[in-house]
Amino acid sequence: MAQYVFDRRRNNGPEDSFPPVFDSDLRSVASKSEPKPRKDRSPLDIRPIFLQPGLITQATGSTYIETERTKIACAIYGPRQSKNTSFHEKGRLNVEVKFAPYSCQRRRSPMHDAEDRSIAMAIHQALVSSVRLETFPKATIDIFITIIETDGIEGCVAAGSIAASTALTHAGIEIVGLVISCSAAIINSEVWLDPTDEESSSSNGTLVLSCMPALQKVTSVWQKGRMERKFQCMKACQNRSDDIHAVVGQALLEAAR
Amino acid sequence: MSVGTVLPGQPITLPARGPAPQLGTGVYERDGQIRASLLGAPHFDGSTLTISRIQPHIPVPGSVVIGFVTRMSPLQALMSITVVDGVPLPSGEEFTGVIRIQDVRATEKDRVKIGESFRGGDVVRSQVISLGDARSYFVTTARNDLGVIFATSEAGVTLEPVSWQEMRCPKTGKLEKRKCAKPLDMA
């Protein structure tokens, strides 16, 4: 728990609070070490994706994405004038990620923490090579990603990258290709795509691959833990990214009609 | 020719016969392949292949912009750009443009006075001439169709242009000096 500081800009509640612990939680802790097999999908399946561009009317471009228990809203503002920066010939891309306090099992503080920043950096690295920054000199593009519900950090990075790339296209910003992300975990030497929070915590290592299927190029690889078969993992992610690209393309074409 | 809507990154098929097209907005070339970088239907503007963009975009040199004067000094007038090439920018995302004293008109540049050309709050049509500095674009009103298109008098009434450098208040009859824009339907 962080050091308590009185925040004059918020209503301050109790200094400390803890979520309740249920009997069923205590019972399931004992059997947590063994990962449970997946019930409703095979290891190489991903969760179904709902993707809808254009839900936030104030934003230049916006997207809402849902993959079962991961729900993310993304808004793009800009290109707009930079503030307090020097002259730069190319545009700039800013990514800000925010978890809603109610988005996790345990309540999150409304303040930014290290996890927000690391996810923002991962998404920024996935996107920045796909945006044609030279088409908007001196201006910046701000991407705001709000995570409404989360089921695993890897799923957030992957879904957030897909949502941001779709929103960039919806905003009319020139990009080299759509960026599609897919996450994977190694559990008992087997590749499981699109892991949930429970599967991630019981795995040896996790990986998030971002690529542009149209150009067959990889933009970012984000890995944690110990991976025994990285390239097999990346190949599985890349194959699945082609399918996700079709879903994203279909959603964009329907929104444009 | 016009194929259907393409996604960013999608290769664009061109007619087999014909010269290589020039690339406009929304398309790019990589590894010898012409691809789209916007969502839309590619089409030809003369010999330029382009994908039109209907969303707000930043000013580029040559853009005709509309904005209102926010601040004036003896050497320049600052304006807030709210419309770029006919597309209004979202609220709060305006750009800053600077009309320098030498860019107000094409004739008698040494006799120009900023106070006799613009007032705070005037709506001005101008054209971007360069990216300018870190904060603002350099714009010009040196053409006949550029200049003040809407202004209010000291009495709060809309002024009527009577010549290229004068506007009259319909309420008091007083003449005020402005660098007026020629109406587009008079071209």
Side-chain angles (χ1 to χ4, degrees):
Chain A
M1 185 69 67
Q3 175 64 42
Y4 179 74
V5 176
F6 190 82
D7 192 350
R8 285 181 173 80
R9 286 173 288 187
R10 284 188 168 84
N11 293 326
N12 287 268
E15 289 191 21
D16 283 323
S17 65
F18 296 92
V21 182
F22 300 103
D23 276 350
S24 54
D25 291 342
L26 291 177
R27 230 174 286 125
S28 66
V29 160
S31 61
K32 196 179 179 70
S33 57
E34 191 64 29
K36 292 190 278 289
R38 279 181 172 176
K39 308 186 185 70
D40 45 5
R41 55 185 171 120
S42 70
L44 291 186
D45 273 352
I46 58 172
R47 290 169 283 185
I49 295 175
F50 173 80
L51 187 69
Q52 177 70 55
L55 288 189
I56 302 173
T57 53
Q58 300 100 322
T60 313
S62 61
T63 300
Y64 174 74
I65 188 169
E66 213 179 280
T67 62
E68 284 197 358
R69 279 185 49 205
T70 300
K71 301 179 176 67
I72 293 176
C74 174
I76 300 220
Y77 295 88
R80 56 185 181 182
Q81 190 166 333
S82 307
K83 292 182 171 60
N84 303 323
T85 47
S86 57
F87 184 92
H88 41 273
E89 201 60 39
K90 287 187 164 189
R92 294 160 83 112
L93 188 76
N94 298 324
V95 179
E96 183 174 323
V97 173
K98 196 90 190 66
F99 280 87
Y102 46 84
S103 61
C104 306
Q105 294 269 9
R106 187 189 185 93
R107 184 183 186 273
R108 282 180 178 265
S109 164
M111 317 295 264
H112 280 297
D113 54 19
E115 197 162 44
D116 290 358
R117 246 177 286 274
S118 64
I119 293 176
M121 281 169 58
I123 294 177
H124 180 270
Q125 187 184 342
L127 290 174
V128 71
S129 54
S130 80
V131 181
R132 297 182 67 196
L133 298 171
E134 71 273 7
T135 58
F136 49 98
K138 282 187 5 173
T140 64
I141 291 177
D142 295 312
I143 301 178
F144 296 96
I145 294 172
T146 303
I147 298 174
I148 297 167
E149 190 179 358
T150 180
D151 188 16
I153 297 302
E154 290 77 23
C156 281
V157 175
S161 303
I162 296 170
S165 183
T166 309
L168 283 169
T169 305
H170 181 253
I173 287 147
E174 300 202 35
I175 58 176
V176 171
L178 285 167
V179 171
I180 305 296
S181 282
C182 189
S183 55
I186 298 287
I187 297 177
N188 292 336
S189 303
E190 194 182 7
V191 177
W192 285 23
L193 289 187
D194 200 12
T196 63
D197 196 20
E198 196 177 321
E199 291 162 0
S200 294
S201 54
S202 63
S203 68
N204 294 332
T206 57
L207 177 140
V208 179
L209 179 93
S210 303
C211 60
M212 293 189 280
L215 283 81
Q216 293 294 306
K217 288 193 182 304
V218 173
T219 60
S220 165
V221 180
W222 205 55
Q223 185 205 319
K224 264 194 312 191
R226 207 170 0 103
M227 310 285 292
E228 302 158 359
R229 32 179 84 175
K230 288 191 197 47
F231 294 105
Q232 180 180 336
C233 209
M234 287 168 68
K235 179 53 71 179
C237 286
Q238 208 155 3
N239 291 336
R240 194 58 59 192
S241 292
D242 294 344
D243 302 335
I244 304 175
H245 190 269
V247 173
V248 173
Q250 188 66 35
L252 280 167
L253 291 174
E254 283 178 4
R257 193 171 303 119
Chain B
M1 52 86 67
S2 177
V3 304
T5 303
V6 292
L7 293 166
Q10 191 170 332
I12 297 175
T13 52
L14 297 171
R17 222 173 302 101
Q22 290 176 319
L23 303 184
T25 300
V27 291
Y28 70 99
E29 181 180 354
R30 181 179 281 215
D31 300 332
Q33 178 82 54
I34 296 178
R35 296 175 186 266
S37 58
L38 285 175
L39 174 75
H43 61 275
F44 278 95
D45 266 339
S47 67
T48 303
L49 182 67
T50 187
I51 297 178
S52 306
R53 176 175 24 200
I54 56 174
Q55 286 96 344
H57 52 274
I58 67 167
V60 294
S63 294
V64 174
V65 297
I66 298 175
F68 56 92
V69 176
T70 53
R71 207 191 314 166
M72 284 168 27
S73 78
L75 290 182
Q76 62 191 25
L78 262 64
M79 67 183 271
S80 175
I81 295 172
T82 51
V83 178
V84 178
D85 285 327
V87 182
L89 298 175
S91 170
E93 296 190 3
E94 294 91 10
F95 292 90
T96 303
V98 168
I99 309 172
R100 297 173 297 178
I101 193 169
Q102 64 262 36
D103 295 322
V104 170
R105 64 188 188 219
T107 60
E108 289 185 327
K109 293 190 176 184
D110 50 329
R111 288 208 216 171
V112 176
K113 289 186 172 59
I114 290 288
E116 292 177 356
S117 305
F118 309 105
R119 290 296 172 93
D122 288 355
V123 179
V124 179
R125 184 193 302 129
S126 54
Q127 187 179 35
V128 180
I129 52 178
S130 84
L131 292 182
D133 52 23
R135 276 182 175 72
S136 47
Y137 293 82
F138 287 172
V139 296
T140 180
T141 57
R143 281 197 337 230
N144 286 347
D145 57 320
L146 304 175
V148 175
I149 58 178
F150 175 88
T152 54
S153 70
E154 295 175 9
V157 188
T158 301
L159 289 169
E160 300 166 341
V162 296
S163 75
W164 69 273
Q165 60 175 346
E166 277 170 345
M167 281 180 144
R168 177 176 53 218
C169 174
K171 192 175 184 183
T172 64
K174 188 185 299 182
L175 288 177
E176 297 190 20
K177 285 182 174 293
R178 297 283 201 284
K179 202 286 175 183
C180 301
K182 187 177 201 176
L184 296 179
D185 50 16
M186 275 189 188

